[in-house]
Amino acid sequence: METLDLAPMIRAAGTVRLPGSKSISNRVLLLAALADGQTRVHDLLQSDDTERMLDALRTLGVPWQHDVAADCFVVDGVAGRFPVADADLFLGNAGTAFRPLTAALALSGGNYRLSGVPRMHERPIGDLVDALSQLGAAVTYTGNPGYPPLTIGKGTIRAGGTVSVRGDVSSQFLTALLMAAPLTGVAVHIEVVGELISKPYIEITLNLMARFGVQVEREGWQRFTVPGGACYRSPGDIHVEGDASSASYFLAAGAMGGGPVRVEGVGRNSIQGDVRFAEALEQLGVQITMGEHWIEASAPASGRLKAFDMDLNHIPDAAMTLAVMAVRCDGPCHLRNIASWRVKETDRIAAMATELRKIGVEVEEFDDSLRVTPPQTLRHAAIDTYDDHRMAMCFSLVTLAGTGVTINDPACVNKTFPGYFDAYRSIASPVPVVAIDGPSASGKGTVAARVAESLGYHYLDSGSLYRLVALATIRGGVTDDAAIAAVAETLPAEFVGGKILLSGADVTDAIRSEECAAMASKVAAIPAVRDALLERQRAYRQAPGLVAEGRDMGSVIFPDASSKFFLTASVEARAQRRYKQLMEKGLPANIDSLSQELSERDARDAARSVAPLKKLPDAVLVETSDMTVDEAVRFVAERIA
Ligand SMILES: Nc1ncnc2c1ncn2[C@@H]1O[C@H](COP(=O)(O)OP(=O)(O)OP(=O)(O)O)[C@@H](O)[C@H]1O
Ligand SMILES: Nc1ccn([C@H]2C[C@H](O)[C@@H](COP(=O)(O)O)O2)c(=O)n1
């Protein structure tokens, strides 16, 4: 499985042009296909879900082409009758393709077989099939009753009458019925049973049907009438708005990372319900400004995101973004009325709870709500994404809450936003790292500590971690690699006020012995030890920045470091420095044996197979043999990017 490591971010600001809305794109494609005349669709979302719809339309004999020069998709409508009357359609996990196509094909008088990925076969469709049956359609389940896959036969469509459909599981059932109703040629009255959820999505459907010439009459949200004889006519050109759900990640980034972050493609006049995410952000104190086609978000003036308790039924997709923002709020947050999460790409309530807990958040999970209590600190975790694009995009935001994350299967964002991570990195700036590597006694510790102090950055002496493992190993009499790695995994070390503690005891001087240094070099060659210490070292990357020194800071731990240095000096110069250091501490020393030990240690550190000591091509070489400490510090400080 592919994974993506995201560093902790220090701020977010900039502008993102949004990809087209998934909900609008797939509705427009189907309406354009069913319409009379040619439609030129501009700004169509190009992603897995729209590809499923485009593939299906091609299989059904609807002519369409991508006019690359004009940057639009041209669909030649079939005026309500698909040319291919017998076909197999695979629709992946695209609910916005599966439900409307089911309805349109069920009322088309052909024979079709519709299937998807395993998760699609777990997503209920029974309420839609029941409603279509009331109209005389012949739809049967080929797997579990109530779920795809489906077989559609030639039904006998009944004239007039009223059909009822449940509105409290997925609003896509009503959308599908509404869009397909004109194919019957007769008036169709639809009554919604139960409280209609996600109403803004129905507004999108009605708005787009009107753009294609079909006006639906409605009485509140309970009763809809599609008039008899209604048929779709192409509006000629149609523009797809930017995706308001995708906008939520960037607006949240502006709120969590300072901002301003502007999204272009949706704004004040959007027909998408998820633009109301901006109102939800305002309740958190976020500063929002809006134009006709853009929205901008900046952090609250107070600097604190306010805790919230909100009914989020009207913005179910964007609500996921709020669940992750809750980790930075100033108190427990309750997300209510989100039961529809359970039947989306995955059970999003369960998935969100599981993954938030991995990063150290306290989460209470209820049937239709989530309560999130922000922790003092977050920890790094590998986030499972459940083949759910929104899980991947949401969890990128924890990088603005003080920790890095690993996103498993990041390509799942292709469902709606193939370029998501590039767009995110274009507005989010990683916490800067100055990586200083080099051999023993080259002066990297001294220089790194001074540079960190002058910049006000955190400081990581990575060698001390290997020395601590070495000391624990010596003291515990541990010899085999697996046991040494286990020591590294659970190393009970603390850094308190300039002192280094192991199991609570001060070992600041003990880890500096030559015996410990030699052992450190040996345990550092064990791959499992290095793996065990990896995230522990990365956790030092915190705002406002980090200066990290060791052997593999620039190559393995922080390969994206903003500045990299390789500090070195001749063996003679380094042996002299170490000799002086020991003499000052009143410890016995011998120049020749120090030279010998340094050379052996350098050779071992440079020859090992994992993370060997070496100068990277992108590191600045600092030859300190003839430099004073002050000169070396100045040399580095002047070259920090
Ligand atoms: N440019 C320099 N000129 C003279 N002495 C220096 C210079 N840089 C460092 N020193 C001295 O050399 C000694 C070793 O330096 P330091 O501990 O910083 O090296 P190091 O590379 O971090 O070593 P190790 O990897 O063993 O921890 C210190 O006493 C330090 O003051
Ligand atoms: N990033 C690091 C840091 C240290 N080591 C190993 C190699 C050294 O011999 C030993 C002690 O380091 P020092 O305190 O002298 O910097 O630890 C490493 O492999 N990778």
Side-chain angles (χ1 to χ4, degrees):
M1 180 186 55
E2 262 186 53
T3 61
L4 174 70
D5 287 327
L6 292 175
M9 302 291 173
I10 191 162
R11 75 174 270 107
T15 300
V16 171
R17 174 97 211 145
L18 295 167
S21 151
K22 172 186 70 161
S23 304
I24 297 178
S25 292
N26 270 352
R27 281 172 176 78
V28 163
L29 285 174
L30 183 57
L31 293 172
L34 294 173
D36 187 14
Q38 187 179 77
T39 306
R40 297 165 62 78
V41 186
H42 302 268
D43 302 322
L44 185 84
L45 170 66
Q46 291 177 54
S47 73
D48 286 353
D49 276 13
T50 49
E51 227 173 84
R52 295 290 78 76
M53 179 63 98
L54 285 165
D55 286 350
L57 294 179
R58 176 146 287 155
T59 306
L60 293 167
V62 179
W64 63 262
Q65 51 159 322
H66 185 187
D67 184 342
V68 180
D71 196 16
C72 69
F73 283 74
V74 184
V75 182
D76 287 305
V78 297
R81 187 150 292 278
F82 290 115
V84 175
D86 193 306
D88 289 296
L89 301 179
F90 174 76
L91 297 164
N93 199 8
T96 54
F98 207 108
R99 280 75 179 261
L101 277 169
T102 296
L105 294 173
L107 304 181
S108 288
N111 294 300
Y112 303 101
R113 290 150 302 278
L114 274 61
S115 64
V117 298
R119 174 62 187 167
M120 193 74 234
H121 297 174
E122 292 169 2
R123 299 174 70 184
I125 198 162
D127 295 323
L128 175 60
V129 171
D130 290 349
L132 291 166
S133 305
Q134 293 169 48
L135 283 172
V139 185
T140 50
Y141 303 108
T142 31
N144 291 330
Y147 297 86
L150 303 175
T151 298
I152 293 172
K154 291 183 185 142
T156 311
I157 303 307
R158 279 191 276 280
T162 298
V163 53
S164 53
V165 65
R166 272 183 67 178
D168 54 356
V169 175
S170 166
S171 65
Q172 284 184 19
F173 301 154
L174 177 58
T175 281
L177 270 184
L178 286 165
M179 291 211 298
L183 301 185
T184 62
V186 296
V188 177
H189 306 284
I190 304 170
E191 275 191 2
V192 178
V193 179
E195 170 74 15
L196 179 64
I197 60 167
S198 312
K199 295 182 183 78
Y201 286 103
I202 300 303
E203 293 200 73
I204 296 179
T205 305
L206 300 182
N207 184 303
L208 292 175
M209 286 174 69
R211 301 275 290 281
F212 279 84
V214 174
Q215 297 286 347
V216 178
E217 292 156 25
R218 77 174 167 93
E219 292 163 37
W221 295 103
Q222 245 26 75
R223 195 174 156 84
F224 298 79
T225 300
V226 179
C231 43
Y232 293 119
R233 282 185 318 278
S234 167
D237 287 78
I238 190 160
H239 287 262
V240 175
E241 283 183 13
D243 193 299
S245 314
S246 300
S248 70
Y249 312 112
F250 301 103
L251 297 176
M256 297 168 80
V261 173
R262 177 178 287 211
V263 290
E264 289 180 346
V266 286
R268 202 182 285 125
N269 299 329
S270 170
I271 62 167
Q272 297 169 74
D274 270 359
V275 284
R276 292 188 60 198
F277 176 73
E279 290 167 19
L281 287 183
E282 282 177 322
Q283 291 189 45
L284 273 63
V286 178
Q287 306 180 71
I288 297 285
T289 45
M290 248 190 226
E292 211 174 315
H293 300 296
W294 56 267
I295 309 175
E296 203 170 88
S298 299
S302 66
R304 291 156 64 99
L305 291 169
K306 281 192 251 171
F308 61 89
D309 184 334
M310 280 188 235
D311 182 324
L312 297 164
N313 189 267
H314 59 300
I315 50 168
D317 287 345
M320 290 178 74
T321 311
L322 285 169
V324 175
M325 290 183 78
V327 308
R328 274 281 308 275
C329 287
D330 61 4
C333 301
H334 206 143
L335 297 93
R336 295 183 192 269
N337 207 358
I338 51 170
S340 67
W341 283 22
R342 296 227 181 252
V343 292
K344 298 283 183 163
E345 279 79 343
T346 184
D347 176 343
R348 287 175 167 169
I349 293 186
M352 184 59 77
T354 304
E355 301 310 308
L356 283 175
R357 286 182 190 126
K358 280 188 189 169
I359 58 170
V361 183
E362 190 188 319
V363 186
E364 289 160 85
E365 183 188 333
F366 305 96
D367 284 349
D368 67 347
S369 72
L370 268 184
R371 199 176 136 87
V372 179
T373 302
Q376 285 297 323
T377 52
L378 294 174
R379 58 172 176 263
H380 172 276
I383 302 299
D384 287 318
T385 48
Y386 309 81
D387 202 18
D388 184 348
H389 54 142
R390 300 208 185 284
M391 287 295 290
M393 295 191 276
C394 276
F395 273 87
S396 65
L397 292 171
V398 301
T399 59
L400 282 161
T403 181
V405 279
T406 301
I407 304 288
N408 290 337
D409 186 23
C412 66
V413 300
N414 291 346
K415 189 173 201 291
T416 52
F417 200 157
Y420 175 75
F421 290 108
D422 288 339
Y424 184 65
R425 281 186 286 234
S426 76
I427 53 134
S429 314
V431 172
V433 174
V434 178
I436 305 181
D437 290 305
S440 305
S442 56
K444 58 190 184 306
T446 308
V447 171
R450 291 261 306 263
V451 170
E453 197 184 356
S454 70
L455 293 172
Y457 282 10
H458 301 277
Y459 164 57
L460 166 62
D461 165 11
S462 61
S464 65
L465 291 172
Y466 291 95
R467 286 172 184 262
L468 281 159
V469 174
L471 186 64
T473 300
I474 295 166
R475 288 185 175 173
V478 183
T479 48
D480 73 285
D481 287 5
I484 297 172
V487 168
E489 195 76 57
T490 54
L491 194 66
E494 289 168 276
F495 296 77
V496 186
K499 296 267 176 235
I500 301 178
L501 311 181
L502 185 63
S503 299
D506 186 353
V507 294
T508 316
D509 290 332
I511 62 164
R512 295 290 150 201
S513 72
E514 287 308 305
E515 182 199 10
C516 212
M519 188 60 168
S521 168
K522 286 177 190 154
V523 300
I526 303 169
V529 169
R530 305 200 76 83
D531 285 348
L533 295 179
L534 181 82
E535 289 307 335
R536 190 165 191 150
Q537 293 172 82
R538 286 188 176 158
Y540 281 81
R541 186 175 195 169
Q542 283 170 21
L546 173 69
V547 181
E549 56 101 346
R551 306 296 187 286
D552 60 347
M553 297 298 100
S555 59
V556 176
I557 310 296
F558 305 110
D560 64 335
S562 35
S563 302
K564 295 182 186 178
F565 296 92
F566 189 82
L567 236 80
T568 190
S570 65
V571 176
E572 295 73 33
R574 291 187 285 128
Q576 280 295 345
R577 292 173 188 174
R578 189 63 91 216
Y579 179 80
K580 203 164 153 228
Q581 236 178 349
L582 292 171
M583 295 310 270
E584 279 167 7
K585 284 188 185 162
L587 296 169
N590 173 292
I591 283 276
D592 290 338
S593 55
L594 280 173
S595 293
Q596 171 85 11
E597 278 160 15
L598 282 175
S599 302
E600 282 172 10
R601 191 135 73 93
D602 291 351
R604 195 164 42 231
D605 292 345
R608 66 180 178 224
S609 60
V610 281
L613 168 70
K614 65 171 185 220
K615 183 195 165 304
L616 299 168
D618 57 345
V620 176
L621 179 68
V622 192
E623 215 318 330
T624 66
S625 303
D626 297 321
M627 284 183 186
T628 64
V629 171
D630 283 347
E631 285 169 340
V633 170
R634 202 174 319 117
F635 185 95
V636 168
E638 283 170 357
R639 285 164 182 76
I640 288 174

